Amino acid sequence: MNHRTQRLSYIRKIIRAEYISSQDELIARLEECGITVTQSTLSRDLKFMHVAKVPHKKKGYIYVL
């Protein structure tokens, strides 16, 4: 599995399992999993994956697939 495929897989798992409200929060979670990514790369990945932000009662807006 190449780095991009692995990174996208981790992004999917995190977004499905947690309420993530910012790219900084997602970057921190990825780093906890051993994945280093820049904000610009993450932004491109989220766009590629068609990730959207939707309203959430407690967190403001969260990412969804």
Side-chain angles (χ1 to χ4, degrees):
M1 187 181 306
N2 69 28
H3 293 294
R4 182 170 191 241
T5 304
Q6 183 181 19
R7 187 175 66 244
L8 295 178
S9 176
Y10 274 98
I11 291 169
R12 275 188 206 93
K13 287 177 188 177
I14 293 168
I15 290 175
R16 286 183 178 144
E18 303 174 30
Y19 297 129
I20 302 294
S21 60
S22 70
Q23 289 186 9
D24 288 336
E25 189 178 352
L26 186 52
I27 288 170
R29 287 292 293 117
L30 287 167
E31 287 178 355
E32 290 173 12
C33 298
I35 307 285
T36 303
V37 64
T38 63
Q39 183 275 327
S40 58
T41 298
L42 179 60
S43 182
R44 285 190 295 272
D45 288 346
L46 294 174
K47 185 174 182 177
F48 173 79
M49 297 168 64
H50 303 288
V51 172
K53 280 189 121 175
V54 297
H56 185 270
K57 289 181 182 179
K58 295 181 181 176
K59 297 260 314 187
Y61 285 87
I62 60 167
Y63 287 111
V64 294
L65 294 170

